[in-house]
Amino acid sequence: MTAETRTRGDGVKRVFLRLFVAGDAPNSLMAKENLERFLERAAANSNGAEIEVEIVDALANPAVMTEHGIYLTPALQIVEPAPVRLIYGNLSDAEALRILPFRGDR
Amino acid sequence: MTDGRHPDYEELKRRLANAEGALKALREGQADMIASEKGVLVVRLAEADARSEHINKVLRAIRNVNKLVVSEDDPLRLIDRACENLTGTMGYLNAWIVLIDGETKRATAAVGTGLCESFAEMRERLRSGEFTDCMNRALRHEGIVVTKAPKIECPDCPLSSGYGNRAGMSSRLRHDGKTYGILSVSVPSAFAYDEEEQILFGEVVGDLAFGLHKIEAANILRQSQRDLKRAQAMAKIGSWRFDLNSGTAIASEETRGLYGLDDSEWSIPRVKSVPLPQYRQALDEELKNLISKGTPYDIEFKIRRPSDNAVRDIHSVAEYDAERNIVVGAIQDITDRKQAEEEIRRQAERLKAVVEILQYPAESLQEFLDHALRKAIALTRSQYGYIYFYDEDSQEFVLNTWSKDVMKECSVANPQTRYQLEKTGIWGEAARQRRPIMVNDFQAPNPLKKGYPEGHVRLARFLTVPVVQYGRIVAVVGVANKLSDYDEMNVLELTLFMDAVWKSVGMMMGERELRNRERYLQTILQTSADGFVVLDGEGKLVEVNDAYCAISGYERNEIIGMGVVDIDAYETDAEAASRIQRIVSNGSELFETLHRKKDGSVWPLEISTTWMKENGGRFVCFCRDLTARKQRDDRIALLGQMLDAAPASITIHDTEGRFLFVNRITVSMHGYDDEAEFRAVNLHDLDVPESEALLTERFQLIAEKGEARFEVAHYRKDGSAFPMEVQAKSIEWEGRPAVLSIASDITERKRAEDELRRRENQLQKVFEILPIGLWFVDKDGTLLRGNPMGIKIWGAEPKVGISEYGVFKAWSLPSGKFVEPEDWALAKTIRDGVTVVDELLEIQAFDGKRKTILNYTAPVLDELGKVAGAIVVNLDVSDRRNLEAQLRQAQKMESVGRLAGGVAHDYNNMLSVILGHTEIALCNAAPNSRLREDLTAIHNAAKRSADITRQLLAFARKQTIAPKVIDLNETISGMLKMLRRLIGEDIDLVWLPNGGIWPIRIDPSQLDQILANLCVNARDAIGNTGKLTIETGTATFDEAYCADHAGFKPGDFVMLAVSDDGCGMGREILQNLFEPFFTTKDADKGTGLGLATVYGIVKQNNGFINVYSEPGQGTTFRIYMPPHKGVETETATPERPAVPGARGNETILIVEDEPAILKITGMMLKKLGYTVLSANTPSQAVELAREHAGEIHLLVTDVVMPEMNGRDLANKLLSLYPNVKRLFMSGYTANVIAHHGVLDEGVRFIQKPFAMNDLADMVRLALTEG
């Protein structure tokens, strides 16, 4: 569990993301990378919103997945702003990330 | 869900969205791990693609490995059998796996297949801790390490040689962060970076890693379970004590908590009521057995916890303390563990279902899908189900199968089997929304529902998922009425299962397609008329079709297994081997060879062979029997050769004039070297304009009549034209109307025809102008045709046969005997076939004329030698006979002339002596004396003799003449007086001069002689009274006239005619007219030299004489003299003045070989007063001249002398006496001093014999005038 970048978003006070990964499994690594890259690009568009990312290694603690109703990793849970939403997969699909409250455009 | 609550619609939607997202991630391979409530599992998606057999094989390998993964529980056996499977299905050509200890990082085991002995060395190296390069790389890297060309990149690796040209793919076998080992396989290098290949390999790696992990995990699990049980027993997580003595039960707090009973509630009956009823008896018995028999108390059971009514799994162990008679036990809530175990069991069930479905040996697709549906229903614990095919393009569902139960319970009379998407209700949503649709409260209102038909089974819960293949929905599967709610796990497992099903469907369809194709191909090959054989890599026949058997005469079972060398009758073993090598490296080859039939004969064939690497290599050979084709080719080649050898042009052209075929001679005939070049020329362009203009007409004619014959002219390449005769025929060529032409160059024939015509014309001309009569006679003797000369000879064209030969009158010459018709040479020739030559005949022509002909007849024989006709040649020799007579006459005259000339010379010499001496004697004789009378008579006779000799000389043209150019009319006018006196008064002399005549050149004395002789003859012919006409004129004769008139010469002439109306002459007289001494007169009247003299003079002056005379009608002599056409008209020199008293005293040298003449001439000159030097020979004369002291004024010399002629002597003397004058004397004119009898100007000549007066005059003249 690691705390990540905090910035401000447009009209959004706080963004809290939870990324479920399975250790160093390929897709999990890719998902981490993709998310990091997305957030780097998004930093300029975040308008000061505070972004917090929690990374959960499901391998270490499988129970945490059922706790959150997650069936497979990697999965990105958008906890805030509500409602809670889920993105499955390694986040290589830019379309999937569009449901985030800011854009990762260049 | 397990809480039993029905979620609301929004929640359901959210869950479905999540499930869909999860599925999508799963499908796209973006998932690492699937979690359930109680555990973690890893799924493998068989990302298989059936697009190539390789993939299928790999898939099969994967399937097998998959199966192993499920069933195998020993890692060594797993990797061993995995390797076997990976290579056994031909998925990979070799494979090896090295297991590595996670702690020590050392290889613990290694297996390999497809690598032979080299793997032993590998094992050795691994034992010493040495890893290959690819292993090290694979251990370091996540994913697949590709060694593109192991042979080059890893020369040191003992395995590299086993890879051939293939690439290696290696990957660590890693699961859940732990590396179990390394798998390496070889694949065709082209596939090494293929994404699918890598995915599949990744699958294998994942499977194996999972398998190894599973085995390890299972081992750990078993160990843990044992540990746990021990731990539970030891730790007494929940503990209780049952005192048998008191019948009381004491439980720890944890135990009470597990049972959901608080302390007050804890009592034995209460405790016994907590377990579910089905476990109660077992629990009692277990306890009883423990107490009575001491068997271990270890039991699992379910309780319904009174506190929350939850059902929990409880594990309870107990021990009996017999001493105290108490039972001590421990319990543990194992609900979670049980659920985890259930999940694992279900997961295994799912995997088994997938594996089972992949392996299901379905007879048909339908059966397979029926089976799949049953399995899907069972897997999702549903009661009903269906599978609809879906076509995205038409948006149409087609029912494939309903579950049996549906059909049983559903009373829909005729279930609709086709649905349009738009008309479907909620079950179509899976296709509409392209995601699974889950409805757990089907009876609740739902906007998507459209109701189902009457009699449809009542639905409580419903789940439908789309089956997606390559991004397209291909089917939907629906299940219904699970007893509990459907959940995401059902969605996942149904989706996964259907994915697997559809992969099998795809494979089955592919396989079925393949089988169909195989059957189809097999049918084609067996029914093919061409032979078909398959050879294995060694060249042994493994497959053969009926056609090949039929051709070769072998039975199928006889020929299978034979080697190609056994049936090939053409190639040597070495050739066959190199051919095989070539085919293997090139992939295919087309060649011709000979195969031996069973009966030993051979047949030619064309083989198209393809090398297929699969199944150890196969040569697939199509064998085309070339026997017929060879025969046809041979025939065609022969025909081609024949056509090429044909001496005629053979062509085929279409109706547009394009040549479709030409033989060789056509090309050369047109002056082309190259057939292609010729073929590029259109017939229209070959025809010369005249021929081309008629081309359409020709085509029409050929089209109408089917064939035609005509002549055309074509251009050659060089632009020249030549004539051709063409026989054209309408044919069909390759389905289109065309024209076959056979043509020959008729240049030669035309030339021959022209030549023949020309020769015919020539012969006709010859026939016409031939101066020989020519007759053609048929075999019956009928005269067919005669040439103009023949007709001229006979005076008419007699069309007569042999029986009418009497009309011809002929006399054989020289006998003059009449020739009877049967004796005719022609009759004999026709009759007997004899050839008659040189038959001399006198004939009477049809016009009455008599002619002398030479007759020749020759038979014309046919090929059998029989007389087919005859040719008659008549030569009119009448004229020739006349000419011959004339020639004979002329020759006679010439010889007579020569004789006369020779005699006259001697005569003259004698006469000179006689006359000289007589004259001298007369000078001395007394007048009126008897002597004088005698001398005078001698003198006269001598003079007369001299005249005769002079005439003889004139006839012999030995007269020495001095011609002058004269006007004939003038000269004759001057002679008329003398002539009148000559002919006498009784004869009327008519003088008819023609004014326009040309001058002639002649010695006037000769003209005198001519006229005198002719007039005297005319007078004698007239006899008494009559008329004598002298006439002059001109005449011109051409060659043609002369040819017809013997003796005439062509050219212009001056004519002198002397005619009389006297007695005339007959033929005999005319023939001898000009012969000397021929005379019709009395002996005293003529000497017979008159006309001979005339003849000689005319000839000497290049003229000729024509005599026309008819007995009793008179005679006309026409003398034709050539005109003198010189520029000046020479007038006659005046007569030289007589030299009176021609005496002198000069010195004269006389040279004469005749002593008598020398003597008399000397005497004469002395008498005339001259000084005379006499010499008998020229040498004497020269000597005398030298010795002579004084002047010599004149040389008088004979012309013909033995030593030296007079001329040479004169020239010699001139050197001594340059001023000496010369006088020649001769009885004979020779060319010595005169050219052709004509004296040079200034040369003096005196004819012997001469009178003294004449000599005196001539000497005087020579001395004075030179």
Side-chain angles (χ1 to χ4, degrees), chain B residues 998 1033-1037 1049-1055 1102 1104 1120-1123:
Chain B
W998 299 290
T1034 58
T1036 301
F1037 305 112
K1049 295 177 185 170
D1052 295 328
F1053 293 93
V1054 174
M1055 189 268 300
N1102 302 312
F1104 58 92
Y1120 298 94
M1121 300 291 288

Side-chain angles (χ1 to χ4, degrees), chain B residues 643 651-654 658-662 679 730-740:
Chain B
L643 290 178
T651 60
I652 294 171
H653 59 80
D654 65 11
R658 289 184 290 257
F659 284 107
L660 307 171
F661 169 83
V662 298
R679 293 265 306 261
S730 172
I731 62 161
E732 197 170 272
W733 178 265
E734 289 166 354
R736 283 161 42 216
V739 177
L740 167 69

Side-chain angles (χ1 to χ4, degrees), chain B residues 1186-1237:
Chain B
R1186 284 212 182 101
E1187 284 167 6
H1188 181 68
E1191 185 72 11
I1192 292 175
H1193 298 95
L1194 177 68
L1195 169 70
V1196 177
T1197 175
D1198 190 11
V1199 174
V1200 182
M1201 286 177 294
E1203 281 176 10
M1204 183 189 295
N1205 67 35
R1207 189 189 184 88
D1208 293 343
L1209 175 64
N1211 288 340
K1212 216 160 196 171
L1213 221 61
L1214 274 172
S1215 60
L1216 297 172
Y1217 298 96
N1219 297 319
V1220 74
K1221 303 288 193 296
R1222 285 94 60 203
L1223 173 62
F1224 296 96
M1225 51 183 182
S1226 178
Y1228 188 93
T1229 304
N1231 283 341
V1232 178
I1233 53 159
H1235 303 287
H1236 307 290

Side-chain angles (χ1 to χ4, degrees), chain B residues 862-927:
Chain B
D862 65 12
E863 57 270 23
L864 298 172
K866 293 173 98 177
V867 176
I871 293 172
V872 179
V873 177
N874 296 146
L875 194 58
D876 185 349
V877 294
S878 315
D879 288 346
R880 201 163 71 178
R881 281 173 67 82
N882 288 343
L883 284 172
E884 279 170 2
Q886 284 178 17
L887 181 63
R888 274 198 302 279
Q889 174 69 11
Q891 283 169 342
K892 189 167 75 184
M893 302 276 270
E894 184 73 24
S895 55
V896 170
R898 281 179 186 279
L899 179 65
V903 171
H905 179 256
D906 289 337
Y907 254 67
N908 279 341
N909 277 346
M910 297 306 122
L911 287 172
S912 295
V913 176
I914 294 167
L915 278 170
H917 283 283
T918 309
E919 279 183 3
I920 288 171
L922 277 173
C923 289
N924 299 327

